[in-house]
Amino acid sequence: MFNGGEYICGPPRDALVTFSVEDIAFRGRDGHECEEFVQAIHKAAYAAGKLRDDAWMADLAVTCLSGKALRYYDGLEPEVKRDWSLLRPALVARYSPPDDDEDEVQAGGYRMLQVLAPTGPSSPRLKARIGRIKVIGANSTDYGYLGNGKTCHEANGIAAGVSAPEAIRVGYVPANKPYEIEIRRSDGRCEALGVRWLRPSPSARIGCTDFAAITAFNYEGVYRSSKLKWSGPGYTRIWKVMADGTVYPHLEERGSYIPLHCIFHQASEHKTHAIDVAADGGAFVAKHSDWTLAKLLFEPIVQNPEGRPADEA
């Protein structure tokens, strides 16, 4: 029941609890604030008898947003904005809490981002394998390496088509489960290679054309952030490098890791080209004729005793 800006929450009547809508606010500070916000929306909806009304909860949520959260909301697709069942996972994915439990499964069936250091950027790992990532197309077409460049998604993002000297250096430590691949910048900074999905709650089912862009994520303590502000989740602990060097991104569904397909944007006005991942690569390229299937290959870099690549010595 609503009463002058307050919801009066349920029986028994001798223990009524009032819940003020004016107390609900979300500025987009961090994952903990996001969880409290989601819980507050659910409590308000329960008090008003609207817990199963996703449109009502979405309308309430937007009146409580400000700062970074409001700017993020403004960039979402209209269907996400008006449906709490889509808006909620988009917010939770955008403002993920720390990874306190490696095996904790988050909304949408994904594990949280891997934490390589408790605060600040990742520290170098002595056992990491260092190299570059080459992009190979159909019929062994050489699409160069992954590097920095302009694509159809970003003015300065991760792109295919650069030469070996221009390629980003990456490092990883093999593990049984998917892991992070670090980007090691020449200035000493480290980033994480990951994907940002276009839409919330992507699926890996056969025939699904959901896709994500391969992009760089900054280390922000236990968090990861990307400049690519799509409405879907962004994740970095998704990679596995096989014995033959093939690099596979993964998506976790119902406790299983599903390998994703890499796709390459053929028609481009730029020197470099977008490299994405798709749930079903065959279905995606059948629908989008300017994209083709591609493969990522890890190419080790031989280092001299000083730790520098031999080809840069």
Side-chain angles (χ1 to χ4, degrees):
M1 181 172 63
F2 182 75
N3 180 23
E6 295 183 333
Y7 289 105
I8 301 178
C9 301
R13 294 188 62 84
D14 59 351
L16 293 180
V17 178
T18 60
F19 188 86
S20 175
V21 176
E22 295 179 358
D23 292 337
I24 306 176
F26 180 45
R27 294 184 54 83
R29 293 189 183 95
D30 54 37
H32 294 303
E33 186 197 18
C34 182
E35 289 180 343
E36 292 174 355
F37 172 66
V38 169
Q39 186 178 40
I41 293 295
H42 289 167
K43 287 181 177 179
Y46 174 77
K50 297 287 187 179
L51 192 56
R52 300 185 183 278
D53 190 334
D54 288 320
W56 187 94
M57 287 190 283
D59 289 342
L60 173 61
V62 68
T63 66
C64 307
L65 301 178
S66 62
K68 294 180 181 178
L70 181 59
R71 290 192 292 273
Y72 172 69
Y73 174 88
D74 286 342
L76 296 175
E77 306 247 347
E79 61 266 27
V80 178
K81 292 180 178 181
R82 56 177 175 255
D83 187 339
W84 180 246
S85 69
L86 297 177
L87 178 59
R88 179 191 56 77
L91 291 172
V92 170
R94 175 65 180 88
Y95 302 98
S96 300
D99 189 2
D100 295 323
D101 183 350
E102 177 179 314
D103 291 328
E104 181 179 357
V105 177
Q106 302 303 305
Y110 295 92
R111 296 188 187 276
M112 295 180 59
L113 307 182
Q114 184 181 24
V115 180
L116 300 182
T119 58
S122 170
S123 56
R125 296 180 289 174
L126 297 178
K127 296 181 180 180
R129 298 179 180 177
I130 309 300
R132 310 179 180 95
I133 296 180
K134 196 169 186 60
V135 183
I136 304 295
N139 300 317
S140 300
T141 306
D142 186 346
Y143 288 133
Y145 294 84
L146 290 187
N148 300 315
K150 187 175 183 180
T151 71
C152 56
H153 302 320
E154 299 180 271
N156 185 27
I158 298 298
V162 307
S163 64
E166 298 172 315
I168 55 173
R169 290 179 62 201
V170 299
Y172 73 94
V173 175
N176 291 329
K177 295 180 180 180
Y179 37 80
E180 282 193 329
I181 290 180
E182 290 183 348
I183 300 172
R184 302 189 169 195
R185 300 295 187 183
S186 58
D187 60 3
R189 291 182 301 112
C190 285
E191 298 172 317
L193 190 68
V195 300
R196 169 74 73 182
W197 290 89
L198 178 65
R199 297 182 181 276
S201 303
S203 171
R205 70 181 186 276
I206 296 175
C208 179
T209 57
D210 287 347
F211 70 98
I214 295 179
T215 187
F217 287 75
N218 295 320
Y219 289 105
E220 296 183 3
V222 294
Y223 296 98
R224 307 289 184 262
S225 67
S226 169
K227 294 180 180 179
L228 184 59
K229 302 303 182 185
W230 286 358
S231 61
Y235 290 95
T236 59
R237 189 196 291 172
I238 60 170
W239 304 101
K240 292 205 74 172
V241 181
M242 310 308 289
D244 66 353
T246 303
V247 181
Y248 281 109
H250 291 75
L251 184 152
E252 186 187 355
E253 286 193 340
R254 304 180 190 90
S256 298
Y257 294 100
I258 311 299
L260 301 171
H261 301 107
C262 292
I263 49 177
F264 176 84
H265 193 217
Q266 290 180 292
S268 175
E269 59 186 9
H270 313 302
K271 175 186 175 182
T272 51
H273 312 273
I275 181 76
D276 290 4
V277 301
D280 185 332
F284 186 92
V285 299
K287 183 177 180 181
H288 304 279
S289 59
D290 54 344
W291 289 79
T292 186
L293 292 173
K295 180 171 69 172
L296 302 182
L297 284 177
F298 178 79
E299 184 179 280
I301 296 176
V302 178
Q303 301 191 80
N304 60 26
E306 289 75 30
R308 295 180 56 194
D311 55 5
E312 293 180 9

